[in-house]
Amino acid sequence: MQIEEKPISGGKRLRGISAENKANQPLVTVVTAVYNGQPYVEGCLESVLNQDYPNIEHIVLDAGSKDGTIDVLRKYDDRIAFWRSEPDKGVYDAWNKALLEARGEWICFLGVDDEFLPGAVSAYMKLAIQNPEAEYLSSKVRVIHDTGYERIIGARWAWRAFSNRMCTAHVGSMHHRDLFRRLGKFDTSYRIVGDYEFLLRARGQLRAAYMPVITVMMRYGGISSDKKALEEQAAAKIAAGGRNKLLADLELRYAKAKYLLRPLRHAWGRMMAR
């Protein structure tokens, strides 16, 4: 008989210390889902703690790590707003659980192997003030490959481009909590591109703002870089974005061809950087 493990929780909130929304400083909730992320979790936590924006809560949901991640979370117990360790059904299931805990006016998702750059959250909140109607804020992200190859991703949101591919950089980008009231939660049937599918639901009605500033360092790799992601992306474009099936299939073939050429692009990028 399998014994079900009880969730382990911690954080300032359990001791009655909670952040609140303020008129001049809206609360920002940073969500991190992690499973066996011990090599990176401390860097992620520190990048949030070192932000100069004064009103942030960091929610970390761990899927039952066995590698020492929980020890790091306990080390930061008096500095993290809330963390919990329990099995989940994938990153989007963890994000949905985090949405139930999030109290911020703005909510963002930062991978355990990603890090905010200094001043990132302040820059986003300045962008929010400049664009009071916006419900989604995005920027640029520096992607670092383990071979040393780097590139910058993240373009301005535009429906024509977004309906074809994820042109915005989702990591660290800001979602107004009203967007979740309007569009719902993440679809856990997607294992890789649930963030893209979520924003596709808005179609051309998404109220977005953009700043051409690098806000996050993101490590390249993982399931989001797999060919399977391209197939899920094509399915999401059809189901949520209303993309023509034949056109989506042609775009998938082209994207897979580009994927096969990635090693050559990385090698060329390293050579040009020397």
Side-chain angles (χ1 to χ4, degrees), residues 52-110:
D52 59 3
Y53 186 76
N55 203 15
I56 301 175
E57 64 171 12
H58 197 174
I59 294 175
V60 182
L61 289 188
D62 174 77
S65 294
K66 308 297 183 182
D67 68 340
T69 294
I70 296 175
D71 293 333
V72 177
L73 295 177
R74 284 181 170 136
K75 175 183 173 181
Y76 284 81
D77 192 73
D78 61 344
R79 305 177 74 187
I80 303 172
F82 178 76
W83 65 268
R84 182 168 62 227
S85 179
E86 65 178 355
D88 60 41
K89 298 177 182 178
V91 63
Y92 301 115
D93 181 41
W95 285 8
N96 284 339
K97 290 179 179 179
L99 290 175
L100 297 176
E101 303 290 346
R103 299 176 180 178
E105 181 177 335
W106 291 95
I107 303 170
C108 67
F109 303 87
L110 189 69

Side-chain angles (χ1 to χ4, degrees), residues 26-154:
L27 179 62
V28 174
T29 299
V30 180
V31 172
T32 298
V34 55
Y35 179 67
N36 289 342
Q38 194 274 336
Y40 307 114
V41 64
E42 191 158 6
C44 174
L45 297 177
E46 286 287 348
S47 79
V48 177
L49 290 169
N50 290 333
Q51 292 297 302
D52 59 3
Y53 186 76
N55 203 15
I56 301 175
E57 64 171 12
H58 197 174
I59 294 175
V60 182
L61 289 188
D62 174 77
S65 294
K66 308 297 183 182
D67 68 340
T69 294
I70 296 175
D71 293 333
V72 177
L73 295 177
R74 284 181 170 136
K75 175 183 173 181
Y76 284 81
D77 192 73
D78 61 344
R79 305 177 74 187
I80 303 172
F82 178 76
W83 65 268
R84 182 168 62 227
S85 179
E86 65 178 355
D88 60 41
K89 298 177 182 178
V91 63
Y92 301 115
D93 181 41
W95 285 8
N96 284 339
K97 290 179 179 179
L99 290 175
L100 297 176
E101 303 290 346
R103 299 176 180 178
E105 181 177 335
W106 291 95
I107 303 170
C108 67
F109 303 87
L110 189 69
V112 69
D113 52 352
D114 306 326
E115 297 178 11
F116 268 132
L117 298 182
V121 177
S122 290
Y124 266 125
M125 291 303 96
K126 182 177 180 180
L127 182 66
I129 293 172
Q130 294 169 344
N131 298 271
E133 299 302 316
E135 56 188 352
Y136 179 68
L137 312 173
S138 66
S139 65
K140 290 181 176 290
V141 169
R142 176 180 290 111
V143 182
I144 300 177
H145 195 276
D146 56 10
T147 62
Y149 170 71
E150 296 185 13
R151 66 190 180 108
I152 307 300
I153 63 171

